[in-house]
Amino acid sequence: MYYSKYYEEDNKVKKLSLLLALVILGFSVCCAEAGTSFSLRSGVEFGDTKEEVFAKETTLEGRGEYTLNPFVDDNAYLFRGKIAGYSNAKCIFYFNETDQLVSMNYSFADECSSRDRTNDIYKALYQSLTRKYGNSIGNTGNQVELITGPAFDRMGFYVFIMTDGDPRNCIDYDEWIVDVDNDHVKIDLVSYYWRDSQYDYHYSVDLSYHFYTEAEYQDAINKKHAEREEVDNDL
C-alpha cells in the first residue's frame, strides 16, 4: 500500500511537471511565432529603404546595380561575400517603386562546381531552413503553388530564356510561408542547371525571400485560382 500510494503521488508530480513544461514550451513557441517583423541579414528588414539597407549591410562587398533581364529595371542591388558559410555567394536586394525592400535573393552559383556539390549545398540550406521555419510545404500545395519569388525568376531566366531549357533542369525545389503579424513572407529554395552555347554545364542554388501584405498575398492566390479555373473550364 505504501509503495502504491508513493507511486501514485510521484506519478502525479511527474504529470504536473510535464504539464507545466508543456505550458511553458507552448508559451515560448507562441511568442516566437507572433513576431511583428522578419529579420533578413545584418538587421535588414522588409520595408527598409535603400539607404537603410546600405547602412546595415556591412558584412558583404559591393553595392552595384543589378538587373537580370537587360530589358527590365529590377531596381535591385548586388552584394558579394560569405553567406551561410559559402565564400563566393551573392546577395541581391530588390526594391519597389517607393524604394522599399520587398525581396532578397541569395545565389550560390559560383560555389556549385558540380551536380554533387549543388546537391550538398541545397541539402545544407534546406536543413537550416527546416530547423528555423519547420517543414517545407513542398511544391505541390494548391494554395501557394507557383506564387514564387526571385529565386524562381532567376531559374526561369537562365533555363528558359538564355538557353533552350527543359523543366527537368530544375533539380529540386522547396517552399515555406512564414506568417509575420498580418503579413506573409514566401521563401523559395531551388536548385537547377543549364547548358551554354559551348554545351558546358552550369549549376546554381538560389534562395529567395519575398514579402506580401495580406492583401497582396490573397490577390496572388486569387489570380492563381482564376488561371486554374480558366484551364479547367475548357477541359
Side-chain angles (χ1 to χ4, degrees):
M1 289 292 294
Y2 174 76
Y3 173 80
S4 177
K5 181 178 180 182
Y6 174 79
Y7 177 80
E8 290 176 359
E9 292 297 327
D10 184 56
N11 199 33
K12 289 180 181 178
V13 172
K14 288 181 178 179
K15 288 181 178 179
L16 182 60
S17 299
L18 177 60
L19 178 61
L20 181 61
L22 290 173
V23 170
I24 294 174
L25 178 61
F27 178 77
S28 62
V29 170
C30 174
C31 291
E33 294 179 346
T36 57
S37 63
F38 187 96
S39 181
L40 293 164
R41 57 172 297 112
S42 303
V44 173
E45 296 182 355
F46 289 114
D48 282 353
T49 64
K50 291 179 182 179
E51 291 74 18
E52 289 172 329
V53 171
F54 295 162
K56 292 178 179 180
E57 182 48 81
T58 59
T59 64
L60 302 177
E61 297 179 354
R63 297 177 182 176
E65 292 188 19
Y66 167 84
T67 183
L68 179 62
N69 186 335
F71 300 102
V72 178
D73 182 11
D74 288 315
N75 195 16
Y77 290 80
L78 174 68
F79 290 70
R80 300 173 184 270
K82 187 174 183 178
I83 299 171
Y86 300 102
S87 299
N88 299 311
K90 300 173 184 175
C91 177
I92 307 165
F93 294 106
Y94 297 82
F95 299 86
N96 62 15
E97 62 278 2
T98 59
D99 287 341
Q100 291 181 302
L101 183 67
V102 291
S103 296
M104 184 187 74
N105 188 93
Y106 291 141
S107 174
F108 300 92
D110 292 340
E111 291 280 348
C112 297
S113 55
S114 67
R115 184 160 185 148
D116 287 342
R117 173 66 169 166
T118 302
N119 290 339
D120 289 341
I121 293 174
Y122 186 96
K123 181 180 179 180
L125 297 176
Y126 172 82
Q127 291 175 338
S128 178
L129 290 167
T130 300
R131 288 192 296 269
K132 192 169 184 178
Y133 303 111
N135 293 331
S136 71
I137 55 179
N139 58 358
T140 58
N142 289 332
Q143 294 297 318
V144 294
E145 181 182 357
L146 298 183
I147 302 176
T148 54
F152 243 75
D153 294 339
R154 285 173 55 81
M155 183 192 72
F157 180 79
Y158 286 112
V159 172
F160 297 105
I161 297 180
M162 293 295 291
T163 63
D164 185 16
D166 186 286
R168 290 172 293 184
N169 288 31
C170 177
I171 302 172
D172 216 338
Y173 170 60
D174 284 278
E175 60 183 350
W176 290 259
I177 291 288
V178 181
D179 297 329
V180 183
D181 201 4
N182 294 321
D183 302 316
H184 310 275
V185 176
K186 176 67 192 302
I187 303 174
D188 292 301
L189 175 65
V190 61
S191 59
Y192 56 97
Y193 70 93
W194 73 95
R195 292 192 304 177
D196 61 24
S197 59
Q198 303 300 314
Y199 296 98
D200 292 325
Y201 281 85
H202 302 268
Y203 297 89
S204 184
V205 176
D206 277 68
L207 167 62
S208 67
Y209 304 77
H210 182 77
F211 177 80
Y212 288 97
T213 64
E214 174 63 19
E216 291 170 340
Y217 182 69
Q218 292 302 324
D219 183 56
I221 291 176
N222 291 337
K223 285 181 179 178
K224 293 305 174 184
H225 283 315
E227 290 174 5
R228 292 193 183 99
E229 289 177 0
E230 183 178 5
V231 174
D232 294 347
N233 290 339
D234 284 337
L235 299 180

